Amino acid sequence: ALAVGARDELAEPAIDVVPLCVPPDLHATLARECLELGLSAFVEKPLALDTPTAAELFALARAKRLVLGANHN
């Protein structure tokens, strides 16, 4: 879950994408929260810990017309 106060900070109109550089077990949860707030998200790999969760995230991003990306170095 997002840290206390983070939702207020992410409500800033100038923010349209959130880079997520957190431990892998938090990737899907935080990406989902960003997408639900109407923000695109860019996640370090892995996007999620399993394929069904990743598919759900992409479906949510598509439905909200947002971008969901995963970085692979």
Side-chain angles (χ1 to χ4, degrees), residues 40-72:
S40 294
F42 187 70
V43 184
E44 289 294 319
K45 70 172 183 85
L47 176 63
L49 297 181
D50 58 66
T51 302
T53 302
E56 290 171 14
L57 290 173
F58 278 116
L60 177 60
R62 189 176 304 116
K64 291 186 161 277
R65 303 182 60 86
L66 297 169
V67 175
L68 176 62
N71 183 42
H72 178 77

Side-chain angles (χ1 to χ4, degrees), residues 1-2 7 18-37 39-58 60-61 68-70:
L2 293 172
R7 286 185 181 273
V18 178
L20 296 172
C21 300
V22 296
D25 61 318
L26 297 175
H27 289 182
T29 300
L30 295 178
R32 182 178 286 109
E33 289 192 38
C34 290
L35 294 169
E36 288 172 350
L37 290 171
L39 298 166
S40 294
F42 187 70
V43 184
E44 289 294 319
K45 70 172 183 85
L47 176 63
L49 297 181
D50 58 66
T51 302
T53 302
E56 290 171 14
L57 290 173
F58 278 116
L60 177 60
L68 176 62

